[in-house]
Amino acid sequence: MSKHEEQQAPASLGTRLVRGATSGRARAIMSVGIVLGLGAVGTMAAWSDNASATSGVFSTGTMDLQINDDQGSPSYGFTTLTKSGMVPGNSISAMLPVQNKGTSAFSYTMSATASASTLAPLMKVAVYSEGAATNANNVGTCSGTLIETSKPFTSGGTVNVIAAPRPLAASTGVENLCFLVTLDPAATVDVQNQTVSATFNFNAATV
């Protein structure tokens, strides 16, 4: 062995303890640093934002079916549709405006309810849209578009006259109806001196 070569003596017990303690503190510090670092990541808040929108006002519309500027309650007096002393083949016509005075569009139908009478089934009603009503020499006529061909009244009952809904626009919608009522030309003497009246019922529903 050269004199310059020195054999490294084993570390003393104290030295090993100091080195072990130092290494342990370093690991402990590193561990604490790791824990603190993870804690910082876990509590970091993400950016956020929010917004809101407020609606406008919701309101309901109105339905207002009128007949010739009348609410028809309890009943509008359709006095222009009347005729006395009729004989077979005679007829009478009259105009009736149906109006929508509400804020909602609707469609309407119409039925006729007749009083109990043997004359009822011999009286037939036809309805036209727009046009005009004329009466001369016991004969009534309606111009315009035919909505419903002649339908007989039912004694003490109701018959649908306008079964297919008719639309009317909101506020200003109007349809001028022409009613034509005719005594059946085949009516016999059995219905002489008889009377009958009819109530026309209008029903509206929103579209």
Side-chain angles (χ1 to χ4, degrees), residues 17 32 82 163 203:
L17 290 174
V32 171
T82 185
N203 295 285

Side-chain angles (χ1 to χ4, degrees), residues 113-192:
T113 302
S115 58
S117 172
T118 56
L119 181 58
L122 295 171
M123 301 297 295
K124 299 181 179 181
V125 58
V127 182
Y128 294 74
S129 176
E130 303 306 331
T134 57
N135 293 283
N137 300 319
N138 293 317
V139 176
T141 58
C142 285
S143 60
T145 302
L146 180 65
I147 297 175
E148 182 56 61
T149 189
S150 295
K151 274 194 172 180
F153 293 140
T154 299
S155 177
T158 300
V159 59
N160 288 325
V161 179
I162 299 178
R166 308 283 298 176
L168 283 183
S171 303
T172 58
V174 60
E175 185 170 30
N176 295 295
L177 300 181
C178 183
F179 287 71
L180 178 63
V181 178
T182 303
L183 175 57
D184 193 329
T188 65
V189 294
D190 296 337
V191 294
Q192 289 186 97

Side-chain angles (χ1 to χ4, degrees):
M1 175 180 293
S2 172
K3 64 180 180 179
H4 297 291
E5 295 178 352
E6 297 180 0
Q7 185 174 1
Q8 187 175 359
S12 65
L13 176 60
T15 300
R16 291 198 300 272
L17 290 174
V18 169
R19 289 177 179 171
T22 301
S23 177
R25 284 197 299 273
R27 286 196 298 270
I29 291 171
M30 291 177 65
S31 297
V32 171
I34 292 172
V35 170
L36 290 176
L38 290 173
V41 171
T43 58
M44 183 181 295
W47 288 3
S48 64
D49 197 2
N50 59 69
S52 62
T54 302
S55 76
V57 176
F58 299 100
S59 62
T60 55
T62 60
M63 283 188 62
D64 188 4
L65 169 67
Q66 294 192 21
I67 303 170
N68 197 24
D69 294 321
D70 191 282
Q71 295 286 349
S73 179
S75 181
Y76 170 72
F78 193 11
T79 55
T80 53
L81 190 66
T82 185
K83 187 171 180 61
S84 59
M86 296 181 75
V87 296
N90 283 182
S91 57
I92 179 71
S93 63
M95 298 297 298
L96 185 66
V98 181
Q99 303 156 309
N100 182 352
K101 295 295 186 74
T103 60
S104 298
F106 63 67
S107 293
Y108 75 90
T109 57
M110 189 264 287
S111 61
T113 302
S115 58
S117 172
T118 56
L119 181 58
L122 295 171
M123 301 297 295
K124 299 181 179 181
V125 58
V127 182
Y128 294 74
S129 176
E130 303 306 331
T134 57
N135 293 283
N137 300 319
N138 293 317
V139 176
T141 58
C142 285
S143 60
T145 302
L146 180 65
I147 297 175
E148 182 56 61
T149 189
S150 295
K151 274 194 172 180
F153 293 140
T154 299
S155 177
T158 300
V159 59
N160 288 325
V161 179
I162 299 178
R166 308 283 298 176
L168 283 183
S171 303
T172 58
V174 60
E175 185 170 30
N176 295 295
L177 300 181
C178 183
F179 287 71
L180 178 63
V181 178
T182 303
L183 175 57
D184 193 329
T188 65
V189 294
D190 296 337
V191 294
Q192 289 186 97
N193 202 33
Q194 298 293 309
T195 61
V196 66
S197 62
T199 299
F200 298 100
N201 307 297
F202 294 84
N203 295 285
T206 54
V207 294

